[in-house]
Amino acid sequence: MTYPDNILRWKKKLVLTAAAPYRSAGRFAWHFARGKLGGDPVFLELLRQGLIAKNSQILDLGCGQGLLVAWLRAAETLYSSGDWPENWPPAPAQPTIRGIELMPRDVQRGKAALGHRATIEQGDIRTAEFGQADMVVILDVLHYMDYGAQEAVLRRVRKALANHGTLLMRIGDAASGWRFRLSNCVDAVVAAARGHGRVRLYGRSITQWRSALEQLGFAVEQIPMGYGTPFANILLVGRV
Ligand SMILES: C[S@@+](CC[C@H](N)C(=O)[O-])C[C@H]1O[C@@H](n2cnc3c(N)ncnc32)[C@H](O)[C@@H]1O
C-alpha cells in the first residue's frame, strides 16, 4: 500500500521541516533524518492517527538521533502556523520528550541538531532510570536485547507509566516468514554500520509480544505499521 498524493505532499513538508535542524549536525545526520522520516511510515501514522496526546511527558527508549523530537516539533510548528491537513487530528501540543540512546555518536548528532529543544541522554535502557512518564515510545529497539532483558525493560516501563499511561512499541512479527527475515537482515546491516558490530537479534511473534504486555496489565491494540515497505512491522499500543 502507498499513500495518495495529497498525503505524500504533507509528508514531504513534514520531513523537510523535521530534518532541517540536522543540517547543523553534518551530512550523515541530515541525510539519515530525511531517509528515515521519509521512508518509515510510523512517524506519519503517529500524527494521522492522533496517537500522541497533548502535553504528554514522553520517554523515548533507544531514541537514536532524536528523530521523534524533531518530528513532533515540526508538526507543532506547521500546525500552529495553520499549515495542517483539515482531516488530521491536531498536532500534539507541547510534548516533553526525554530520549535515552546507547550510542554516543547518535546522542551527539541529536544534541548538535536539536540543542536545548531536546533532552537526549546517553545510556543503556537495560539499566537507565526511567522515572515517570505519560507515554513510553520504543520503536524497533527491544529485539536488540535478549529475552530476559526485554522482560525486565517492559516491567520497568509498566512502572514508569503508573496508572494512566500508554506504551507505543513497534516490533516485527517473527511469525511472518521472509518479511521478518528481511527486516532482520536490514537491522543487522544497519546496526553494524552504526557501530554496534555483529548483533544477535531476539524476535518474537506478535502473539508473544502481545502476551508479554497483557501479562503486565496492558490492554493491547495492534496497528499494522509496514505501509509502503516490505517489512512485517506492527505498532502495539498498550494502555494501562
Ligand atoms: C533501529 S534504531 C531505532 C531508533 C529510533 N527509535 C527510531 O525509530 O528512529 C534502534 C536504536 O536502539 C538503540 N539501542 C539498542 N539497544 C539499546 C540499549 N540497550 N539502550 C539504549 N539504546 C539502545 C540503538 O543504538 C539504535 O539507535
Side-chain angles (χ1 to χ4, degrees), residues 32 36-37 40 42-43 60-68 100-103 106 121 123-127 137-145 153 170 187 190 194 196:
F32 185 80
K36 183 82 199 280
L37 293 171
D40 186 337
V42 74
F43 295 99
D60 184 8
L61 299 180
C63 65
Q65 62 177 29
L67 294 179
L68 181 66
I100 304 177
E101 166 57 42
L102 188 64
M103 300 303 280
D106 281 284
E121 298 166 14
D124 185 332
I125 63 169
R126 289 170 294 190
T127 50
V137 178
I138 316 178
L139 300 178
D140 310 334
V141 179
L142 284 190
H143 61 306
Y144 288 105
M145 58 194 69
V153 167
R170 206 225 344 232
D187 281 353
V190 172
R194 293 171 77 181
H196 285 273

